């Protein structure tokens, strides 16, 4: 598999995720909201789709799941595997494309989790079909995406509240340091896809 846009920003992305608190010891209210979407995952086989550096993958494993983390970025998977080597939780990490999931068998998972990654997948129909294929009957798919107000141009936090100015602005959102445009949706928008 060739390099991906996330490979070039993997270290920056890993730092941002950790600073934002999305790692296992992250912000309590965010963990609570996410965890409330899940069934009891003890001994369940769960796929973390778009696992990145494995922050959520590790939380799932700590919750008792048998987890396979999937990402297209080789560099992010290297970071995830490095953490797994330091603190083993029995996680398997595989490089694969979310539109195909060709390395995974049909009906092999009780659940699939995808946090924030759907925004960066350019063929959602193919992705949803691949997820449906790997899920067992009565399997579940929990995904989390960012509400557009959090990426609206000019949005900011003031005294703990998010202020949004140009919510209906048709221009693509940009982050303050330009890194978001180096990956995923930003790359597709710049390429006119």
């Amino acid at each position: 598999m060739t390099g991906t846009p996330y490979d070039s920003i993997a270290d920056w992305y890993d730092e941002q995720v950790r600073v934002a608190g999305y790692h296992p010891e992250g912000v309590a209210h965010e963990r609570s909201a996410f965890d409330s979407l899940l069934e009891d995952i003890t001994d369940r086989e769960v796929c973390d789709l778009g696992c990145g550096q494995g922050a959520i993958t590790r939380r799932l494993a700590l919750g008792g799941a048998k987890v396979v983390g999937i990402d297209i970025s080789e560099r992010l998977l290297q970071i995830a595997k490095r953490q797994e080597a330091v603190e083993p939780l029995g996680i398997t990490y595989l490089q694969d494309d979310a539109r195909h999931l060709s390395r995974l068998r049909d009906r092999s998972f009780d659940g699939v989790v995808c946090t924030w990654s759907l925004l960066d997948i350019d063929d959602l129909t193919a992705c949803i079909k691949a997820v449906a294929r790997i899920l067992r009957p009565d399997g579940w798919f929990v995904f989390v995406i960012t509400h557009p107000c959090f990426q609206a141009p000019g949005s900011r936090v003031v005294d703990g509240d998010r202020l949004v100015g140009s919510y209906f602005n048709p221009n693509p959102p940009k982050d303050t340091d330009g890194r978001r445009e180096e990956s995923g949706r930003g790359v597709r928008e710049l390429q006119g896809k």
Side-chain angles (χ1 to χ4, degrees), residues 49-94:
L49 182 60
C51 68
Q53 83 290 26
I56 300 296
T57 319
R58 295 189 65 75
R59 280 202 10 232
L60 294 167
L62 287 167
K66 300 172 187 171
V67 191
V68 173
I70 298 291
D71 205 278
I72 198 165
S73 169
E74 180 180 352
R75 178 65 186 126
L76 283 171
L77 289 171
Q78 288 171 352
I79 294 169
K81 289 175 183 178
R82 183 178 63 218
Q83 182 65 28
E84 177 67 12
V86 171
E87 298 176 50
L89 294 175
I91 299 168
T92 300
Y93 289 104
L94 300 173

Side-chain angles (χ1 to χ4, degrees), residues 44-145:
R44 300 287 186 154
E45 294 187 59
V46 178
C47 174
D48 184 6
L49 182 60
C51 68
Q53 83 290 26
I56 300 296
T57 319
R58 295 189 65 75
R59 280 202 10 232
L60 294 167
L62 287 167
K66 300 172 187 171
V67 191
V68 173
I70 298 291
D71 205 278
I72 198 165
S73 169
E74 180 180 352
R75 178 65 186 126
L76 283 171
L77 289 171
Q78 288 171 352
I79 294 169
K81 289 175 183 178
R82 183 178 63 218
Q83 182 65 28
E84 177 67 12
V86 171
E87 298 176 50
L89 294 175
I91 299 168
T92 300
Y93 289 104
L94 300 173
Q95 187 178 20
D96 205 346
D97 187 320
R99 299 169 297 178
H100 310 291
L101 300 177
S102 59
R103 299 193 64 189
L104 303 177
R105 295 182 330 271
D106 293 358
R107 299 180 180 193
S108 54
F109 292 95
D110 298 303
V112 174
V113 170
C114 185
T115 53
W116 297 283
S117 299
L118 288 180
L119 294 169
D120 294 330
I121 299 170
D122 62 0
D123 187 347
L124 289 178
T125 300
C127 176
I128 298 302
K129 286 180 181 178
V131 167
R133 179 184 60 76
I134 66 169
L135 281 173
R136 294 183 175 123
D138 297 323
W140 43 265
F141 180 34
V142 172
F143 62 91
V144 177
I145 59 172

Side-chain angles (χ1 to χ4, degrees), residues 9 12 173-183 186-187 190:
I9 64 166
W12 169 86
K174 301 201 182 316
D175 65 86
T176 57
D177 66 4
R179 293 292 184 142
R180 183 69 177 101
E181 281 69 37
E182 294 180 28
S183 64
V187 171
L190 293 172

